[in-house]
Structure formats: C-alpha cells, structure tokens
Amino acid sequence: MFNFYFTLLVRQLKQASIRLFCIALTLACAVTFSISMLGDRIERLLNLQAKEVLAADLVLESSSQLTDDQEAIIDSFQLDKANILTFQSMANTVDAESFLLSSVKAVSDAYPLLGELQITDNLYGQAYPVDGIPTVGEAWVEDRVLHDLDINIGDYINVGETAFKVTQIILYEPDRGNSFYSFTPRILINWDDIEATQVIKPGSRVKYRYLFAGEINQLDSLQQSLSETLQLNQQFVSLESGGRTLSKTFDRAYSFLNIIALVAVLLGAVAAALVSFHYANEMTHQYAIFRCLGMKSKQIIGAIVIPIVVYTLLAITLGFVIGSVSQSIIINTLGELVPENLPRAGIKPYLISSTAVLIIVVSFVWPFIMTLIKTSPKILLTNNISAKRTITSTAAFMLIGVSLLIYLATSDVLISVYIILALSIFIVFSLILINYLILLLQRLTQTKNTSTRLAIRNIKANHMMVSLQVIAVALTFFSLALVGTIRDDLIISWQSKVPENAPNVFVINLTESDSQRFVSYLNENDIIHNPMYPIVRGRLSEVNGINIDDYANKDTGRYDNSLQRDLALTWNDDLPKDNKIIQGEWGQILDTNNTVSVEQDLADNLDIKVGDMLSFMIETRKVSAQVNSIRSVEWESFAPNFYMIFSPSTLDEFPSTYITSLYLTEQQRPLISSFVKNYPSATFFDLDFVLERA
C-alpha cells in the first residue's frame, strides 16, 4: 500500500493543478511567516527595551526595608537581584562653601539588571556604556553637580558624614528615563557606602527599589509569594503608560504589515480554491476507476487525504524557508530603520503562518476535494464528469475561512467584522454584476455566430468556476483598496502627529527667571520651541470628597497608573495645540478660580466627569479644583503634555519650575553645550541620544 501512495504522490506532483496548489500555499505561508516573524522580533526588542525603564523584569518598591520573612522568600528563588536606595540630601564641597540639594542613589553591584549605565570622563565628553558601579568611596554625578558646586572631576564632595571622590559624569540611567519632572541633580554611590553617610535615620524619607530578573514563571511565583506579605508602603511597579508614542506607532505599522499579509493570504486562498476545483474535476475519473477496481472507502479517503496533507506540509516547510529569507532581506533593505541584533523570533510566527495555511486548506480546498470521496463509478458511463456540489455549503466554508483569516491578521473583533461586511458586500455586488452581464451578453449574442453563443452558454454552465474567478478578481480589487486606504491613514496619521520638525530636546527644571531668558535666547536664534509650562508636583488624593484609595480600587473597578506617582501639574491661559476639548469648555478656566481640565483617558479610567471636585496633595497642603473640561491629548506629538491643567491662579502660591521642548537642526545641535553652561540648574533631555543609543 505504501508503494501505491508513493506512486500516487509522484504522479500527482506532475499535474499542473497540484504544483499550483503548492505554490499558492507556499506563498501564503511565506508572506505570513516573514511579516509575523519580523513583527515578533521587533516586538520582543521593544519589550526588552521597555523593561530597561525598570532596569529589571520586576521591581518591588518600598519606603522601608524588607522584612525578614520577605528576604527569606526572595532568597528561595533563583533570580538575579539588585538593590537601589534613593534619598534627598544636601551635598557640599569639602570647604563647605557651596551646597546643593541632590538626589542620592545608592546601588548594589548587580545594578542595572537590564539596560546599561552610560558615562563620560569629562564635561561634554562622548558617552560610553559601563559595566559596573562606583567603587566604595567614589561618586558618579550629573554635570549639574559640577556646575552648581563649581568642582571638577577628581574633586571631593560631602554627602552626609562621608567625602566622596567624583570620578565620572553620568549621562544615562536606564531606570530614570520615565520621569521627566522629578529630576534633581543625581549623585550615584555604592550600596556599601549608605551606612557611612549616616544620612538614613528612622523616619527618613527614602525609597527602596528591589530589582529582579529571570524566568517568567519564577518571577510570577515570586510576585505571588510576596503579594501576601506586602505592607501598605510596598507595591510592585509595572511599566507605565509613558511609552505610548512608540507603542502606538509600532502597533499601527505592524497592523499595516498584517493587512498586507492578509491580502496575500486571501489571494492565495482563492488561488488554492481555483486549483482545487480543477484538481477535483481532473481526478474524478481516476477515483471512479479506483472504485471500479474494488478499492475500499477507507483506501479512497487515504488516497485523497494523504496527498493533500503531504503537499500542505511541503508548502508550509517551503513557506518557512522562503519567509525566513524574505524577512532577512526586508531587514537589510530597511537598514538603519531597524535596529541591529534583533532578538530571535519565538514560536508565534510558526503557529500563525501554519494556522493560516490550515485554514485555507480546510475552508477553500477541502469543500472541493471532499466531493471525490463520494465519486460514483457511474460517472464513467455519463458525460457528467463532475460530482454534485452544494454551493451553499462551499460558500459557508469559505465565509468561515475568510472570517478566521481576517481575525488572525487583525486580532480585533470589531475591525474584523467591518472588513468582513465590506468584503461580503463587495463580492455579492461583483457576483450580481457578472450574472447580469452574462444574461445581457446572452440576449445581445442571440443573433451572433454559433461560436459566440456557445462561449456564452459555456460560461453560464460553468457558473462555479466563473464565481470563483469573480471572487478572485473582487478580492484583488478589494485588497488593493484596503491596502491603499490603510496606507494613506497610516502616513497621514504619522505626518500629522510627528511633524518634520518634531521636538528632539526636552528642557526641564528651569527657574522662572531662567525660563524668560531662555525663551528670548531661543527666539533670537530662530529655534522652534513649544510654550513654557510651569510645573508643580502633586498627587491626586480625593474625588468628590472620597479618599482616592477608597474611590479607586479593585472593588470599584476604577484605576489608573497615574495614582501611583506624583503628577506634573501645570496651568496656562491657552489650550495646548494638540489638545482638544471633549466635554465642557476650556474658556471657563479663565473665568473661574480653582478649576482643572483632565486628560480623557485618565478621566475615563477614574470615571471623572465635568463638575466633579478633585483634591490634590501638594507638598503638605491640599488643593481642590472643580473639573470644567475633559481633553484629548496627542501623546505622540513630543510636546509637553499633561494629565491636569489648572486655572492660572490655582497653584500660584507654590514654587514651580518650567518645562518646554524644542527642535534643533543638525547645525544647531552644538548649542546644547552652551545651554548647559548658561543654564546649569536645568536638565536638557536629548531624545536623539536616547533613541540612537541602541
């Protein structure tokens, strides 16, 4: 029997329909595999880089040290660990002539678990990564420390009761990039120097961060074990929503690629259906002869199913090979647009492409092939060479297959429904139109020659093949229209949200007097910049008089990541350019004291509406304001954006710093050095440096 199946496979491979069947499935698999593999590798890279924001896979944050029970639990897991302690302290020169309020960060040897520190040996020097931390007695500092204390590399500064030798300048910390507004001059020291400073006393305001990295199942088990022991001042930290820009951009681009893959898969599916129709017609007599020779039904089924399975597996294998080569070519073609050393893909691309091929075989191929199982020997005695097919069941199979393929590409039920409805309408319209044209041609050709009338009659008789060809043509035009529409939407979206002169430098911690001088300097040098916004740090504490812990929790279903940190609160007379009022009126801010405009997503997550009263803790004081509007915010604009914008007089009594963003051309980039020299108290956050460091 093996020889029979082997001979059958070899002979069928010589048939044009089988070769076309393999080609259709191979191309569908290759396109799906190449795009899903590229997307999976980029997604893995983004996930790895996103974790650098935490410098770890998992972080436990606390205002006190771990308990003995918690340390015992942590020690029972085989994970990479590191400790961080941050606190505010006055640093001063050895002669005590200069003082500076600084953010001191003590780290253990393994820091950072993910990402890398970048330092330089001198002011305005070239950044380079370092594998290590300051040794005991040394301090690495930001350039502002050198400016404000008027010291140089090699000098000493006092932190508490200990003098530290300044040996390096810090340019980048992986776990500091998610906090634009809390920057105070950084001093990095060794964990073993904490006790010598004698700064940490009972009741001191400090923040401990315990970093963990390792296998996901180990991390999940650790988090579950520690969750039962967490105190009120302890919490696990997750990635915050600050990375929306890159995430949304990637999601849109990946969706566009998936739609392109879907187009190729659908066209491959129709091609497979067409060749399967031909194959079924060609093989009808052969399988009728098998029955005449006494072959049993199980053997007939085997002779039908085994070739399809073998050629499907062959097509999938070839698809993997071609797809791998294609995605490598795509990466090389994109050049610098795609980072080097992308992580290896996981199993997801193999599953997606294999699933797509199997859906095609079951929905578009099997409805025609299964008619061979019921082939009767009587066909050999008649002119009817085709077994009866049920058009309704075939159409149902195809509709289910198309629906599954579309959902596989979009992963969104609503979008899938829209595409299926539009595609169905397009195909139905095409079928109605072609049938009408056939009837019209019949009437118009009644007086024509015999060959013309026979051609039209033949088209009508082979309505199944004609319908498939119409569907193929309809799918082609629909796919081109779909790709064009999504491409235009994607490009327009990118162009509208990320203009050519999008800001590439953020400036924070400017004093009020410096901010005025800085704006004048920017205008004099024709530097494009956003408005200057004052910043006050505060935390949402109450909604309509209800404590935020009671208002937003698991029981109420209201929650937002912003509740876990201080917010950058600002005020302004004008609505920011990329903001739009969704509810309420912005103009009321100017007429009423103590009002606030709230960002739309935060308002939705916390069920905040126009007219609600919000309270904030700023320093040790409570400030209340009534919500007068809800705003949408374009986080992709690279302009300063805020969850809360107050009426101008609400926060006047609080000390503030200022923030703006600006665009520097390549010719203007050397000005950054003069910025740092002339405004030493400010922080200049170079986005190009962060984006290019990989």
Side-chain angles (χ1 to χ4, degrees):
M1 201 65 187
F2 174 80
N3 291 333
F4 168 75
Y5 288 130
F6 180 78
T7 304
L8 183 65
L9 288 171
V10 173
R11 291 189 62 184
Q12 288 188 356
L13 191 57
K14 297 178 180 180
Q15 294 180 254
S17 56
I18 287 294
R19 293 197 297 272
L20 291 173
F21 169 80
C22 291
I23 292 172
L25 294 187
T26 298
L27 292 179
C29 180
V31 173
T32 307
F33 184 71
S34 62
I35 290 178
S36 58
M37 174 176 273
L38 178 61
D40 187 65
R41 294 180 68 186
I42 294 177
E43 186 175 11
R44 286 170 176 266
L45 176 66
L46 293 179
N47 287 336
L48 288 174
Q49 292 183 338
K51 289 180 180 179
E52 290 186 13
V53 175
L54 303 178
D57 290 321
L58 180 66
V59 175
L60 176 60
E61 192 173 276
S62 175
S63 60
S64 61
Q65 289 184 293
L66 298 174
T67 65
D68 293 340
D69 290 341
Q70 289 173 329
E71 289 184 347
I73 292 173
I74 291 172
D75 291 339
S76 66
F77 288 87
Q78 298 298 317
L79 294 167
D80 295 329
K81 310 176 187 72
N83 300 333
I84 299 175
L85 173 64
T86 55
F87 56 91
Q88 301 289 325
S89 180
M90 293 299 296
N92 62 281
T93 55
V94 176
D95 57 13
E97 290 187 357
S98 301
F99 294 85
L100 177 66
L101 178 62
S102 302
S103 173
V104 182
K105 180 176 181 179
V107 297
S108 61
D109 290 337
Y111 172 85
L113 299 182
L114 295 176
E116 58 188 17
L117 280 167
Q118 295 200 19
I119 61 174
T120 183
D121 300 322
N122 49 70
L123 280 173
Y124 321 120
Q126 182 67 36
Y128 64 88
V130 60
D131 184 15
I133 61 172
T135 60
V136 173
E138 289 185 352
W140 297 352
V141 302
E142 280 189 283
D143 52 11
R144 284 186 294 161
V145 175
L146 301 181
H147 283 292
D148 291 355
L149 295 180
D150 193 21
I151 60 175
N152 299 306
I153 297 291
D155 292 341
Y156 285 80
I157 58 173
N158 291 326
V159 177
E161 300 298 323
T162 301
F164 293 89
K165 183 179 181 179
V166 177
T167 57
Q168 302 288 350
I169 298 174
I170 306 170
L171 290 183
Y172 178 79
E173 300 166 73
D175 55 335
R176 201 178 180 191
N178 65 338
S179 183
F180 279 150
Y181 309 112
S182 61
F183 281 15
T184 51
R186 173 75 83 205
I187 297 176
L188 188 71
I189 64 174
N190 193 291
W191 180 270
D192 293 333
D193 280 322
I194 295 174
E195 186 176 351
T197 64
Q198 298 184 31
V199 172
I200 308 304
K201 307 289 184 182
S204 296
R205 187 175 180 181
V206 298
K207 180 184 291 184
Y208 289 90
R209 290 168 66 88
Y210 300 94
L211 313 184
F212 308 99
E215 297 294 332
I216 293 179
N217 58 345
Q218 288 279 309
L219 294 169
D220 291 341
S221 298
L222 173 65
Q223 187 169 358
Q224 185 175 1
S225 300
L226 286 176
S227 295
E228 301 173 358
T229 69
L230 291 185
Q231 303 171 17
L232 293 176
N233 65 333
Q234 296 177 323
Q235 63 180 358
F236 285 103
V237 180
S238 61
L239 293 173
E240 297 173 349
S241 58
R244 300 182 193 185
T245 301
L246 185 58
S247 174
K248 287 185 177 180
T249 300
F250 172 72
D251 287 343
R252 285 176 174 269
Y254 191 36
S255 297
F256 177 65
L257 291 176
N258 280 337
I259 293 297
I260 294 177
L262 173 63
V263 170
V265 170
L266 290 179
L267 293 177
V270 174
L274 288 170
V275 297
S276 299
F277 180 84
H278 278 293
Y279 173 79
N281 283 340
E282 290 175 0
M283 298 300 294
T284 298
H285 278 100
Q286 183 171 332
Y287 284 100
I289 292 173
F290 287 159
R291 286 194 178 276
C292 290
L293 296 176
M295 185 176 286
K296 298 179 180 179
S297 296
K298 290 183 179 180
Q299 294 172 326
I300 291 288
I301 294 174
I304 294 172
V305 173
I306 289 177
I308 297 301
V309 171
V310 170
Y311 293 130
T312 298
L313 294 176
L314 176 62
I316 291 175
T317 303
L318 291 175
F320 288 162
V321 174
I322 297 173
S324 297
V325 175
S326 299
Q327 69 92 27
S328 298
I329 294 174
I330 292 173
I331 291 175
N332 292 331
T333 302
L334 293 176
E336 295 181 356
L337 296 177
V338 178
E340 297 179 0
N341 301 321
L342 287 174
R344 295 180 62 182
I347 195 173
K348 182 179 176 182
Y350 296 91
L351 294 177
I352 290 177
S353 52
S354 300
T355 301
V357 172
L358 293 177
I359 291 173
I360 291 175
V361 172
V362 172
S363 301
F364 292 84
V365 175
W366 183 246
F368 300 104
I369 301 301
M370 68 178 181
T371 58
L372 295 175
I373 298 176
K374 302 177 182 179
T375 301
S376 171
K378 294 180 181 179
I379 289 180
L380 298 172
L381 303 176
T382 67
N383 291 326
N384 182 15
I385 64 170
S386 298
K388 293 183 179 179
R389 298 181 177 89
T390 304
I391 297 178
T392 304
S393 63
T394 302
F397 267 97
M398 290 185 175
L399 180 60
I400 293 172
V402 168
S403 302
L404 291 174
L405 290 173
I406 291 174
Y407 179 75
L408 189 66
T410 62
S411 299
D412 188 292
V413 175
L414 189 59
I415 293 177
S416 299
V417 170
Y418 287 150
I419 294 178
I420 292 168
L421 287 176
L423 180 59
S424 300
I425 293 172
F426 199 83
I427 290 176
V428 169
F429 174 79
S430 301
L431 289 173
I432 293 174
L433 179 62
I434 197 65
N435 285 327
Y436 172 77
L437 290 176
I438 291 174
L439 292 175
L440 181 62
L441 286 173
Q442 272 189 309
R443 289 198 296 268
L444 294 176
T445 56
Q446 286 180 354
T447 59
K448 302 295 181 180
N449 57 50
T450 304
S451 60
T452 302
R453 293 199 305 272
L454 288 176
I456 298 300
R457 188 175 302 173
N458 186 51
I459 290 175
K460 187 176 181 181
N462 292 281
H463 62 279
M464 177 69 79
M465 175 56 66
V466 172
S467 298
L468 285 174
Q469 291 173 340
V470 169
I471 291 174
V473 174
L475 268 176
T476 301
F477 284 103
F478 179 82
S479 301
L480 292 173
L482 183 63
V483 170
T485 301
I486 295 176
R487 181 203 61 191
D488 292 342
D489 176 71
L490 184 66
I491 293 174
I492 291 171
S493 175
W494 280 348
Q495 289 176 340
S496 63
K497 295 179 181 178
V498 186
E500 184 178 352
N501 57 351
N504 52 13
V505 175
F506 267 85
V507 188
I508 62 177
N509 286 336
L510 281 165
T511 64
E512 184 172 2
S513 59
D514 282 348
S515 68
Q516 296 172 359
R517 289 194 301 115
F518 189 65
V519 169
S520 298
Y521 181 84
L522 296 178
N523 292 335
E524 291 171 2
N525 288 274
D526 296 325
I527 297 175
I528 300 172
H529 64 90
N530 281 295
M532 195 72 66
Y533 293 94
I535 297 295
V536 171
R537 301 293 297 175
R539 182 170 294 208
L540 182 62
S541 60
E542 294 180 4
V543 177
N544 293 326
I546 304 174
N547 184 279
I548 195 63
D549 292 332
D550 297 326
Y551 180 84
N553 52 56
K554 293 181 180 179
D555 295 332
T556 62
R558 295 184 285 253
Y559 181 75
D560 192 88
N561 286 328
S562 63
L563 300 179
Q564 303 301 318
R565 64 187 189 276
D566 288 344
L567 299 176
L569 310 178
T570 191
W571 59 93
N572 204 291
D573 291 337
D574 300 319
L575 180 70
K577 181 179 64 174
D578 296 310
N579 290 204
K580 293 181 180 179
I581 299 300
I582 304 300
Q583 299 176 28
E585 295 183 18
W586 172 263
Q588 293 178 356
I589 276 187
L590 305 179
D591 303 330
T592 309
N593 290 331
N594 291 23
T595 58
V596 61
S597 177
V598 184
E599 188 268 341
Q600 183 182 16
D601 289 341
L602 185 145
D604 291 341
N605 293 338
L606 297 182
D607 194 23
I608 294 174
K609 300 178 177 61
V610 173
D612 287 349
M613 186 65 69
L614 307 183
S615 296
F616 300 82
M617 288 302 299
I618 302 176
E619 298 175 351
T620 58
R621 296 167 53 187
K622 183 171 81 170
V623 175
S624 297
Q626 187 175 30
V627 178
N628 81 316
S629 63
I630 307 294
R631 293 170 293 111
S632 65
V633 174
E634 292 291 351
W635 298 99
E636 297 91 341
S637 64
F638 289 98
N641 282 308
F642 307 92
Y643 286 110
M644 307 286 178
I645 302 180
F646 289 79
S647 53
S649 60
T650 307
L651 306 178
D652 278 351
E653 299 179 5
F654 296 95
S656 61
T657 58
Y658 285 77
I659 178 177
T660 188
S661 62
L662 52 98
Y663 171 71
L664 294 180
T665 64
E666 285 298 322
Q667 294 74 22
Q668 294 171 330
R669 293 195 65 79
L671 291 175
I672 293 180
S673 297
S674 64
F675 292 165
V676 175
K677 293 177 182 178
N678 295 326
Y679 305 94
S681 63
T683 296
F684 295 86
F685 194 85
D686 188 351
L687 296 179
D688 287 342
F689 169 76
V690 175
L691 294 174
E692 292 174 2
R693 66 186 179 83

